[in-house]
Amino acid sequence: MSTRAETFTIEQSLPRERLDSFLRARYPAVSRGAIQRLIEQGHIRVNDQTVKPTHTPRAGELVSVTWPEPRPAVAQPEQIALNILFEDADIVVLNKTPGIVVHPAAGNEAGTLVNALLHHCRGELSGIGGVVRPGIVHRLDKDTSGCLVVAKNDAAHVKLSEQFGGREVTKIYDALLCGELPRKRGTIRAPIARHPTQRKRMAAVEGGRESWTSYQVIEHLGMATLVQAQLHTGRTHQIRVHFEHLGFPLVGDETYGKRHNARFREQTGYTAPRQMLHARTLAFTHPGTGKDVTFDAPWPDDFADTVKALRAITTR
């Protein structure tokens, strides 16, 4: 596979932005660390000059990106069952099983979705995500289920990344919240950043990145509420953080709702198996055909069983 290059012009000066952060938003499938390495190695240049990751983007500058040929994947293929909603030469759309990590990381080198995809696709995955994340355009948390699209070639990866970065992808989730949400519908616009003291958590904090979630109530279930939430931005843990910010964290979410969940268990006698969050719908423009496509993932058994159990508790 040969290297692939692209260029674009920065349209607006960003005096408070760094080049690596700017490019991370443009290419959300590529980690910030990988972007920094590409800049430092001269694969990303500005006006044909090498720059630092801290370079401030200025209007009119020409950015050139040369994606190096991917190295052989470190992750090993593993025969792990996949729930495939759709597949063709360009993409695979999955209904992700809860409990599976998307890509290898420290402590999770095997048994991930990437290991399963390497076996299923037999080498037909994009290389832009690097050796650890081949084909991965976006991700879901380990304990979140539902729709996930994977790129099988670099061209598909670039087009999908542009859609995710440009907020052109429709992402709708079903979520179970602790408590009875009073409003039938609403909008949450609370900026999100890394938690100031707990580095593994995110938080709604002043000065964070713009974050926007809208929601509507589907069903009241006594001490819980079933909602449908749409992500208009794609921040880490966005739905979990936003509903905690409202005071109605997700059922089963011990990271963002430990106290609420303890009260929920005490009042209902029910313990959820995980955070009750499911990526229901994913809609985008197919990177190969150019047609608009929509995919819907049915609830997994544990989500359906939890809703059923809460309905039964409500009608006692």
Side-chain angles (χ1 to χ4, degrees), residues 44-60:
I44 296 177
R45 299 165 70 87
V46 176
N47 292 338
D48 203 28
Q49 301 292 319
T50 56
V51 294
K52 295 182 178 180
T54 54
H55 175 81
T56 300
R58 298 181 180 87

mmCIF file of all heavy atoms in Angstrom, residues 44-60:
data_model
loop_
_atom_site.group_PDB
_atom_site.id
_atom_site.type_symbol
_atom_site.label_atom_id
_atom_site.label_comp_id
_atom_site.label_asym_id
_atom_site.label_seq_id
_atom_site.Cartn_x
_atom_site.Cartn_y
_atom_site.Cartn_z
ATOM 1 N N ILE A 44 3.241 15.955 8.559
ATOM 2 C CA ILE A 44 2.286 17.065 8.498
ATOM 3 C C ILE A 44 3.081 18.357 8.479
ATOM 4 O O ILE A 44 3.878 18.622 9.385
ATOM 5 C CB ILE A 44 1.323 17.037 9.704
ATOM 6 C CG1 ILE A 44 0.466 15.767 9.664
ATOM 7 C CG2 ILE A 44 0.427 18.275 9.697
ATOM 8 C CD1 ILE A 44 -0.473 15.617 10.850
ATOM 9 N N ARG A 45 2.877 19.165 7.420
ATOM 10 C CA ARG A 45 3.639 20.390 7.243
ATOM 11 C C ARG A 45 2.683 21.563 7.003
ATOM 12 O O ARG A 45 1.549 21.367 6.532
ATOM 13 C CB ARG A 45 4.600 20.255 6.057
ATOM 14 C CG ARG A 45 5.624 19.122 6.243
ATOM 15 C CD ARG A 45 6.329 18.766 4.929
ATOM 16 N NE ARG A 45 7.232 19.806 4.480
ATOM 17 C CZ ARG A 45 8.503 19.911 4.866
ATOM 18 N NH1 ARG A 45 9.019 19.039 5.715
ATOM 19 N NH2 ARG A 45 9.272 20.875 4.403
ATOM 20 N N VAL A 46 3.157 22.765 7.296
ATOM 21 C CA VAL A 46 2.370 23.980 7.089
ATOM 22 C C VAL A 46 3.148 24.879 6.137
ATOM 23 O O VAL A 46 4.303 25.227 6.412
ATOM 24 C CB VAL A 46 2.093 24.702 8.416
ATOM 25 C CG1 VAL A 46 1.364 26.014 8.164
ATOM 26 C CG2 VAL A 46 1.281 23.809 9.345
ATOM 27 N N ASN A 47 2.511 25.231 5.016
ATOM 28 C CA ASN A 47 3.191 26.012 3.963
ATOM 29 C C ASN A 47 4.517 25.348 3.584
ATOM 30 O O ASN A 47 5.537 26.013 3.382
ATOM 31 C CB ASN A 47 3.416 27.454 4.414
ATOM 32 C CG ASN A 47 2.120 28.226 4.535
ATOM 33 O OD1 ASN A 47 1.105 27.859 3.926
ATOM 34 N ND2 ASN A 47 2.127 29.280 5.338
ATOM 35 N N ASP A 48 4.481 24.014 3.542
ATOM 36 C CA ASP A 48 5.626 23.173 3.171
ATOM 37 C C ASP A 48 6.801 23.332 4.138
ATOM 38 O O ASP A 48 7.956 23.063 3.782
ATOM 39 C CB ASP A 48 6.081 23.472 1.735
ATOM 40 C CG ASP A 48 6.840 22.287 1.132
ATOM 41 O OD1 ASP A 48 6.566 21.129 1.543
ATOM 42 O OD2 ASP A 48 7.718 22.503 0.285
ATOM 43 N N GLN A 49 6.506 23.756 5.368
ATOM 44 C CA GLN A 49 7.539 23.896 6.394
ATOM 45 C C GLN A 49 7.208 22.979 7.570
ATOM 46 O O GLN A 49 6.037 22.775 7.897
ATOM 47 C CB GLN A 49 7.631 25.346 6.894
ATOM 48 C CG GLN A 49 7.948 26.361 5.812
ATOM 49 C CD GLN A 49 9.359 26.218 5.267
ATOM 50 O OE1 GLN A 49 10.307 25.986 6.018
ATOM 51 N NE2 GLN A 49 9.512 26.366 3.960
ATOM 52 N N THR A 50 8.243 22.439 8.205
ATOM 53 C CA THR A 50 8.014 21.675 9.420
ATOM 54 C C THR A 50 7.665 22.639 10.557
ATOM 55 O O THR A 50 8.226 23.744 10.637
ATOM 56 C CB THR A 50 9.257 20.855 9.815
ATOM 57 O OG1 THR A 50 10.377 21.739 9.946
ATOM 58 C CG2 THR A 50 9.562 19.795 8.776
ATOM 59 N N VAL A 51 6.731 22.246 11.385
ATOM 60 C CA VAL A 51 6.293 23.078 12.505
ATOM 61 C C VAL A 51 6.204 22.206 13.754
ATOM 62 O O VAL A 51 6.399 20.987 13.698
ATOM 63 C CB VAL A 51 4.915 23.724 12.226
ATOM 64 C CG1 VAL A 51 4.994 24.712 11.081
ATOM 65 C CG2 VAL A 51 3.867 22.656 11.941
ATOM 66 N N LYS A 52 5.879 22.820 14.864
ATOM 67 C CA LYS A 52 5.681 22.091 16.100
ATOM 68 C C LYS A 52 4.191 21.823 16.321
ATOM 69 O O LYS A 52 3.344 22.541 15.768
ATOM 70 C CB LYS A 52 6.242 22.887 17.285
ATOM 71 C CG LYS A 52 7.755 23.067 17.250
ATOM 72 C CD LYS A 52 8.227 23.831 18.476
ATOM 73 C CE LYS A 52 9.747 23.971 18.466
ATOM 74 N NZ LYS A 52 10.232 24.727 19.663
ATOM 75 N N PRO A 53 3.854 20.824 17.133
ATOM 76 C CA PRO A 53 2.434 20.563 17.432
ATOM 77 C C PRO A 53 1.736 21.762 18.052
ATOM 78 O O PRO A 53 0.512 21.894 17.941
ATOM 79 C CB PRO A 53 2.489 19.388 18.415
ATOM 80 C CG PRO A 53 3.780 18.693 18.106
ATOM 81 C CD PRO A 53 4.734 19.792 17.728
ATOM 82 N N THR A 54 2.521 22.671 18.676
ATOM 83 C CA THR A 54 1.938 23.849 19.329
ATOM 84 C C THR A 54 1.706 25.012 18.361
ATOM 85 O O THR A 54 1.223 26.069 18.768
ATOM 86 C CB THR A 54 2.869 24.346 20.457
ATOM 87 O OG1 THR A 54 4.179 24.567 19.918
ATOM 88 C CG2 THR A 54 2.955 23.304 21.574
ATOM 89 N N HIS A 55 2.041 24.831 17.092
ATOM 90 C CA HIS A 55 1.860 25.889 16.094
ATOM 91 C C HIS A 55 0.419 26.402 16.114
ATOM 92 O O HIS A 55 -0.535 25.629 16.202
ATOM 93 C CB HIS A 55 2.202 25.348 14.700
ATOM 94 C CG HIS A 55 1.933 26.320 13.595
ATOM 95 N ND1 HIS A 55 2.800 27.339 13.255
ATOM 96 C CD2 HIS A 55 0.873 26.428 12.749
ATOM 97 C CE1 HIS A 55 2.286 28.032 12.245
ATOM 98 N NE2 HIS A 55 1.112 27.496 11.917
ATOM 99 N N THR A 56 0.256 27.714 16.011
ATOM 100 C CA THR A 56 -1.078 28.325 16.006
ATOM 101 C C THR A 56 -1.609 28.427 14.571
ATOM 102 O O THR A 56 -0.983 29.072 13.725
ATOM 103 C CB THR A 56 -1.024 29.739 16.615
ATOM 104 O OG1 THR A 56 -0.557 29.646 17.960
ATOM 105 C CG2 THR A 56 -2.398 30.378 16.607
ATOM 106 N N PRO A 57 -2.736 27.778 14.263
ATOM 107 C CA PRO A 57 -3.287 27.841 12.901
ATOM 108 C C PRO A 57 -3.689 29.260 12.519
ATOM 109 O O PRO A 57 -4.336 29.962 13.298
ATOM 110 C CB PRO A 57 -4.520 26.932 12.985
ATOM 111 C CG PRO A 57 -4.274 26.041 14.166
ATOM 112 C CD PRO A 57 -3.520 26.894 15.137
ATOM 113 N N ARG A 58 -3.289 29.660 11.294
ATOM 114 C CA ARG A 58 -3.610 31.003 10.805
ATOM 115 C C ARG A 58 -4.321 30.903 9.470
ATOM 116 O O ARG A 58 -4.012 30.051 8.642
ATOM 117 C CB ARG A 58 -2.339 31.839 10.655
ATOM 118 C CG ARG A 58 -1.577 32.062 11.963
ATOM 119 C CD ARG A 58 -0.333 32.910 11.740
ATOM 120 N NE ARG A 58 0.410 33.144 12.972
ATOM 121 C CZ ARG A 58 1.343 32.320 13.439
ATOM 122 N NH1 ARG A 58 1.651 31.208 12.756
ATOM 123 N NH2 ARG A 58 1.964 32.588 14.565
ATOM 124 N N ALA A 59 -5.254 31.794 9.247
ATOM 125 C CA ALA A 59 -6.036 31.801 8.013
ATOM 126 C C ALA A 59 -5.116 31.882 6.797
ATOM 127 O O ALA A 59 -4.165 32.671 6.782
ATOM 128 C CB ALA A 59 -7.012 32.977 8.018
ATOM 129 N N GLY A 60 -5.399 31.064 5.798
ATOM 130 C CA GLY A 60 -4.628 31.079 4.565
ATOM 131 C C GLY A 60 -3.476 30.095 4.529
ATOM 132 O O GLY A 60 -2.894 29.855 3.457
#
